[in-house]
Amino acid sequence: MRKKLVAGNWKMHGSLAENAALLAAIKPALTGIEAAVCVPFPYLGQAQAALAGSSIAWGAQNVSEQAKGAYTGEVSTSMLLDFGCKYVIVGHSERRSLYGESDELVASKYMAAQSAGLTPILCVGESLDERESGVTEAVVARQLDAVIKVAGVASLAKAVVAYEPVWAIGTGKTATPEQAQAVHAYIRGKVAALDAGVAAQLIIQYGGSVKAVNAAELMAQPDIDGGLIGGASLVADEFIAICRAAAK
């Protein structure tokens, strides 16, 4: 049985006061449930202090592919480890679309994270134009292949994949459970063609306007192993409900 993992992606939201209230609310409610929060860099210390010893892990939303050096504004894997991070998101659609991160750069970040002992949450997914053009699988394959080419398929045994249809992020639109399942099954099948054992254990999250009202139906799909949650992860009751739906 694959475990299910729900990870909150706070994006560029939060304050010390808001974070304290949110973490205080979710910590006791998620005892024994596999969950994580990926917070803005300045709040990693706060997350570490609040969540240490709990069943909730924490991580970052991005990382540099460089180990150290004259890279103003960047954050390295060793810095994330200093704050006890377990996870780091790489290749989120907003990093790809807004900041021009290429498949190759995402693969480098994935490699850097994994080499340091962090678990990368590798995001893949298509835009609305790509879906309507019928190239969803080709786009996802290209994004996956860039990582497999440099890291090998075995590396996915120590990673998480998050399928996020770009057209369903922050838009209120959600892929139907059937649409999401179809892409998840494609991803697992693609990995299985290279290594069936890795594919069987690979956690594939769904990310795209997941809320308490649709979480149970999404999580019930055979190849959906949790979620990468944006806006709903900032609302304690919503995030708790999503995590509990996955745990069932």
Side-chain angles (χ1 to χ4, degrees):
M1 278 289 290
R2 287 186 304 275
K3 63 182 180 180
K4 282 184 163 60
L5 170 68
V6 176
N9 174 17
W10 291 5
K11 305 191 181 185
M12 199 172 73
H13 295 289
S15 69
L16 288 172
E18 291 169 350
N19 304 345
L22 177 57
L23 294 170
I26 67 173
K27 182 178 174 180
L30 297 180
T31 301
I33 292 177
E34 191 84 16
V37 289
C38 293
V39 310
F41 293 133
Y43 301 130
L44 286 172
Q46 184 184 25
Q48 180 181 31
L51 298 175
S54 76
S55 61
I56 305 172
W58 57 95
Q61 300 168 17
N62 190 25
V63 69
S64 175
E65 75 282 11
Q66 304 293 341
K68 63 169 69 174
Y71 302 102
T72 301
E74 292 296 294
V75 172
S76 70
T77 56
S78 62
M79 294 172 184
L80 299 186
L81 291 171
D82 271 347
F83 287 94
C85 289
K86 179 176 181 180
Y87 296 102
V88 61
I89 300 171
V90 297
H92 190 279
S93 63
E94 290 159 359
R95 299 300 314 174
R96 294 178 189 262
S97 64
L98 298 178
Y99 300 101
E101 293 194 2
S102 65
D103 295 339
E104 292 72 27
L105 178 58
V106 171
S108 295
K109 291 185 174 193
Y110 173 101
M111 283 280 287
Q114 206 166 65
S115 297
L118 293 160
T119 301
I121 298 175
L122 171 66
C123 297
V124 299
E126 82 285 9
S127 68
L128 183 58
D129 284 348
E130 289 165 338
R131 172 163 279 273
E132 290 178 342
S133 299
V135 295
T136 293
E137 291 184 359
V139 171
V140 170
R142 187 197 77 223
Q143 293 167 338
L144 274 175
D145 284 341
V147 168
I148 293 171
K149 179 181 177 182
V150 298
V153 69
S155 74
L156 292 171
K158 295 180 288 184
V160 174
V161 172
Y163 166 60
E164 39 163 33
V166 180
W167 48 273
I169 297 173
T171 62
K173 295 181 180 178
T174 311
T176 65
E178 294 74 23
Q179 285 175 317
Q181 164 60 23
V183 181
H184 281 240
Y186 170 75
I187 292 170
R188 199 175 308 283
K190 178 175 173 56
V191 176
L194 299 171
D195 190 315
V198 170
Q201 296 302 314
L202 178 61
I203 296 174
I204 309 175
Q205 298 176 316
Y206 173 72
S209 298
V210 180
K211 299 178 178 65
V213 294
N214 60 22
E217 195 175 6
L218 284 162
M219 303 299 172
Q221 300 301 310
D223 290 296
I224 296 181
D225 308 314
L228 182 60
I229 314 301
S233 70
L234 300 168
V235 182
D237 289 348
E238 283 280 314
F239 190 60
I240 291 165
I242 294 167
C243 290
R244 288 177 174 169
K248 290 180 183 177

